Amino acid sequence: MTSRRHILPAGQGAAFVLKAQETATLRNPYGTQVVDTWALSLSDPLEYSAMEHTRSVNSNLFLERGMCVMSIQRRTMMTMTEDTTPGRHDTLLCPCNAAIYRELGCKGHHRSCTDNFHEAIAEHGISLLFTPASLNVFMNVPVADDGALDRLPPVSKPGDHVAFRAEMDLLLVLSACPQDVTPINGSDHTPRDIEVDIA
Ligand SMILES: [Zn+2]
């Protein structure tokens, strides 16, 4: 089977059509980059990936290998078929947006995963008036016994990858998170490229 290799540049977003049974592999060349991830049904973009149903069906706060990404209609959209990381992909925190960068003291425009999502779907002729919660691949948000969340650098190693198999025809939307104020994309606060293979 032939595969298509794409580079998702640091801080940028892109959307890829995945037919049912096609697989997208997200490779983290430096190990430090978070990828905010969404799926939209190709037949109805209002059927989007829903972290509340994903947590409910998997009975887990994290997405691990073998688990499914569910839609807002509670249908299976994707299965995580491969994962070379310790397997703690966050489902809890929101995609970054302009308000977060203002809270962090950034002046003027700062790229965000929310903007990347809307720009990427617009290139496929889709517009949504809201931003679904993202699956935050490679993002390390440990949950303490008292419920407290932390935001730590990824635990993935250079070259680690995850793979998703599409279970329906969908648009896979990815954002190489541009966060460079907090250490969520590594302790050196430097967003980096991600490699995407579609097969
Ligand atoms: Zn982000």
Side-chain angles (χ1 to χ4, degrees):
M1 189 183 291
T2 58
S3 75
R4 293 131 44 206
R5 163 70 54 91
H6 307 267
I7 300 297
L8 185 63
Q12 306 288 317
F16 304 93
V17 171
L18 270 189
K19 296 294 194 176
Q21 301 306 310
E22 286 189 319
T23 295
T25 301
L26 280 52
R27 192 175 310 278
N28 205 335
Y30 300 90
T32 53
Q33 180 61 46
V34 166
V35 185
D36 286 39
T37 301
W38 297 262
L40 306 180
S41 164
L42 270 192
S43 57
D44 176 10
L46 285 176
E47 183 169 15
Y48 53 87
S49 49
M51 291 303 98
E52 61 271 51
H53 288 287
T54 298
R55 287 187 295 268
S56 169
V57 166
N58 295 314
S59 294
N60 207 301
L61 294 178
F62 304 100
L63 196 80
E64 301 180 359
R65 186 165 59 88
M67 292 182 178
C68 297
V69 175
M70 306 304 294
S71 78
I72 193 68
Q73 310 290 349
R74 211 173 170 85
R75 295 200 301 155
T76 304
M77 302 192 86
M78 303 193 293
T79 303
M80 180 181 269
T81 53
E82 295 178 36
D83 183 7
T84 64
T85 79
R88 289 296 170 110
H89 305 285
D90 173 64
T91 70
L92 295 170
L93 292 189
C94 54
C96 61
N97 66 4
I100 288 175
Y101 290 105
R102 281 197 300 274
E103 286 172 19
L104 291 169
C106 297
K107 306 290 183 212
H109 178 71
H110 192 294
R111 295 201 66 82
S112 72
C113 289
T114 296
D115 290 347
N116 284 345
F117 170 81
H118 290 285
E119 289 173 11
I121 66 172
E123 289 189 3
H124 291 262
I126 299 170
S127 164
L128 291 179
L129 295 175
F130 59 95
T131 308
S134 48
L135 167 65
N136 302 313
V137 176
F138 303 117
M139 187 159 146
N140 183 16
V141 179
V143 182
D145 286 347
D146 67 356
L149 302 178
D150 209 345
R151 295 167 174 82
L152 299 178
V155 291
S156 36
K157 303 178 304 296
D160 269 343
H161 73 272
V162 301
F164 293 101
R165 182 181 65 226
E167 307 295 359
M168 62 171 68
D169 295 349
L170 56 81
L171 190 66
L172 178 70
V173 188
L174 304 175
S175 170
C177 180
Q179 175 61 266
D180 55 3
V181 184
T182 76
I184 206 76
N185 289 309
S187 52
D188 61 355
H189 301 209
T190 304
R192 290 188 163 88
D193 295 353
I194 287 287
E195 296 172 3
V196 182
D197 286 327
I198 309 289

